[in-house]
Amino acid sequence: MSVRTLPLLFLNLGGEMLYVLDQRLRAQNIPGDKARKVLNDIISTMFNRKFMEELFKPQELYSKKALRTVYDRLAHASIMRLNQASMDKLYDLMTMAFKYQVLLCPRPKDVLLVTFNHLDSIKGFIQDSPTILHQVDETFRQLTEIYGNLSAGEFQMIRQTLLIFFQDLHIRVSTFLKDKVQNSNGRFVLPVSGPVPWGTEVPGVIRIFNDKGEEVKKTGFKHGGNYVAAQKEGAFELYGDRVLKLGTNMYSANRPVETHMSATSKNLASKTQENIAPNPLAKEELNFLARLMGGMEIKKTSGPEPGFRLNLFTTDEEEEHAALSRPEELSYEVINIQATQDQQRNEELARIMGEFEITEQPEITEQSTSKGDDLLAMMDRL
């Protein structure tokens, strides 16, 4: 498991969330000023400087339930509100879209290009907000600084960590089904055509070398695909042609997107209990996460600018039906967390986290002549 995976997971899922929200805001004819406020508030909260500093520290991935709660709070960081069913659908769309992108990355390092595509699109949402643009550019700088010099092996570990995180999610998405990139069981179809990874050759040739490293024979074989050589590598700078299209906004065509729980997903529910079932440490994990996200303040809907509800379904009836028909074991129950700067609460959180630390064992004062005597002395103290 790579300890450098969490920032990429968070940023890419956040980018997909913004794509979906932007599409639904337009589909429901939300006034332009309100729609811009929602996106600006969410992006500003998402790229909060303090949170980004904590996010980029090497650490293991949070559980699915913890991340689901983070995005629930992020989606409600403005005057917009989502019902449980719409939030579930939003999270399903986010996770399946990014899973598809990770699966199709030509090479592990290209997951960074996918992240840059998301950031480029996010900057398009906030062109008229220089302060928020600066926040996003600062995150871009952190990405290039931390990930720019990682080896291919380290990127492979990051990709593997992401795939492990997504491995039990097989939710059908109408857009993927229509484009025939997803089967009816929710699994994705990997193409056997298109550009090969940058720096590699089109398959079809076998070269044989002698013990001196000299090529002595070359034969060909039919690879069964329609591959072409990559024309150029995507740009890893702040600006430039990413070449790779994965991570761009697939909702720009304004197509309605539905999600369906496949039979495979329902059968796999029992296998994913470790990620979905209540964990005795879940509250502590989320509370610690809340402290990191102290800048994520949810806007009050009272006052001169009232809030509004966004529906990710076509009608309220569809939303209600989705809430009733969703398997209970696959529904993400959000735990309420407080992200205030209350000193007493922070001290309590610090105490909880302190319990997770391994303290140094007290030294044994008795004279011991061997390691066996030390072990016996330790057992006597139990």
Side-chain angles (χ1 to χ4, degrees):
M1 300 287 284
S2 172
V3 295
R4 289 294 188 188
T5 307
L6 184 60
L8 300 182
L9 178 63
F10 176 80
L11 292 171
N12 284 288
L13 288 180
E16 288 300 320
M17 180 181 75
L18 291 166
Y19 291 164
V20 177
L21 292 179
D22 173 65
Q23 191 271 340
R24 292 311 300 162
L25 287 167
R26 287 185 281 107
Q28 288 189 211
N29 297 317
I30 302 299
D33 56 340
K34 279 193 174 183
R36 282 191 298 273
K37 176 175 175 53
V38 168
L39 295 179
N40 282 3
D41 287 345
I42 291 175
I43 295 170
S44 177
T45 304
M46 178 178 171
F47 290 91
N48 174 273
R49 182 182 60 81
K50 182 180 178 182
F51 176 61
M52 280 293 139
E53 288 175 356
E54 296 292 341
L55 186 75
F56 274 90
K57 292 179 180 179
Q59 57 194 296
E60 298 289 341
L61 288 185
Y62 292 115
S63 66
K64 289 185 176 68
K65 178 168 286 189
L67 277 176
R68 168 65 170 76
T69 300
V70 172
Y71 289 107
D72 185 275
R73 186 172 186 85
L74 190 59
H76 294 93
S78 187
I79 57 176
M80 178 192 70
R81 293 293 174 264
L82 296 171
N83 283 351
Q84 179 70 29
S86 285
M87 191 64 216
D88 285 341
K89 178 178 178 179
L90 173 61
Y91 191 68
D92 288 344
L93 289 170
M94 291 159 51
T95 52
M96 293 307 292
F98 186 43
K99 177 181 179 179
Y100 176 64
Q101 293 156 15
V102 175
L103 281 171
L104 263 64
C105 276
R107 54 179 181 165
K109 185 180 180 180
D110 288 337
V111 73
L112 193 56
L113 289 178
V114 174
T115 309
F116 290 167
N117 274 335
H118 280 116
L119 292 186
D120 289 343
S121 298
I122 289 172
K123 289 170 69 174
F125 291 139
I126 51 172
Q127 288 179 340
D128 300 327
S129 304
T131 303
I132 309 176
L133 272 171
H134 177 73
Q135 287 179 264
V136 179
D137 284 343
E138 180 61 22
T139 299
F140 200 110
R141 184 194 63 76
Q142 288 178 281
L143 283 169
T144 53
E145 182 180 302
I146 294 173
Y147 295 91
N149 296 318
L150 292 187
S151 66
E154 289 171 306
F155 274 110
Q156 172 62 17
M157 187 65 71
I158 289 173
R159 182 176 183 271
Q160 199 66 27
T161 304
L162 289 169
L163 292 176
I164 290 171
F165 181 84
F166 290 124
Q167 65 181 349
D168 294 323
L169 297 176
H170 305 290
I171 300 165
R172 294 177 296 165
V173 178
S174 62
T175 299
F176 294 142
L177 293 170
K178 290 175 184 175
D179 293 343
K180 300 186 185 303
V181 298
Q182 191 180 31
N183 291 325
S184 59
N185 61 2
R187 297 182 182 274
F188 289 111
V189 179
L190 299 181
V192 289
S193 61
V196 297
W198 173 257
T200 63
E201 298 181 12
V202 174
V205 177
I206 300 174
R207 293 182 174 86
I208 301 174
F209 298 84
N210 60 20
D211 56 357
K212 297 180 181 178
E214 300 169 339
E215 183 179 326
V216 295
K217 186 179 180 182
K218 183 167 67 174
T219 60
F221 67 93
K222 293 184 178 180
H223 52 69
N226 185 23
Y227 298 105
V228 295
Q231 296 301 310
K232 62 178 180 177
E233 185 179 23
F236 287 89
E237 292 78 31
L238 181 59
Y239 301 102
D241 183 6
R242 311 298 177 198
V243 178
L244 196 69
K245 300 305 179 186
L246 298 172
T248 55
N249 192 349
M250 70 175 181
Y251 307 104
S252 56
N254 205 26
R255 293 184 290 183
V257 181
E258 300 296 333
T259 57
H260 310 277
M261 190 64 60
S262 68
T264 306
S265 294
K266 294 177 183 178
N267 293 335
L268 284 171
S270 59
K271 298 181 181 179
T272 60
Q273 286 303 306
E274 67 275 9
N275 291 318
I276 297 172
N279 186 314
L281 297 179
K283 189 83 172 189
E284 285 76 5
E285 179 186 24
L286 292 175
N287 282 337
F288 179 60
L289 201 60
R291 184 170 60 172
L292 304 185
M293 299 169 63
M296 289 193 175
E297 295 295 336
I298 296 180
K299 308 296 182 183
K300 301 295 184 182
T301 58
S302 59
E305 193 166 9
F308 65 93
R309 185 174 70 86
L310 189 71
N311 189 350
L312 264 71
F313 297 84
T314 307
T315 64
D316 290 344
E317 289 74 17
E318 286 186 20
E319 185 180 49
E320 293 172 4
H321 179 265
L324 295 173
S325 60
R326 187 177 181 87
E328 184 179 352
E329 65 273 14
L330 292 176
S331 183
Y332 301 93
E333 294 182 6
V334 179
I335 298 176
N336 291 323
I337 55 178
Q338 298 294 328
T340 63
Q341 299 299 321
D342 185 272
Q343 182 178 358
Q344 182 179 356
R345 182 167 183 80
N346 283 345
E347 290 174 356
E348 175 65 13
L349 289 169
R351 183 191 66 77
I352 291 171
M353 292 309 299
E355 293 177 358
F356 296 154
E357 297 178 2
I358 300 176
T359 57
E360 190 173 351
Q361 294 292 335
E363 294 183 3
I364 298 171
T365 57
E366 289 84 1
Q367 293 291 331
S368 301
T369 57
S370 68
K371 292 182 179 179
D373 291 337
D374 290 342
L375 182 59
L376 288 173
M378 291 175 65
M379 293 177 67
D380 288 340
R381 286 176 169 266
L382 297 178

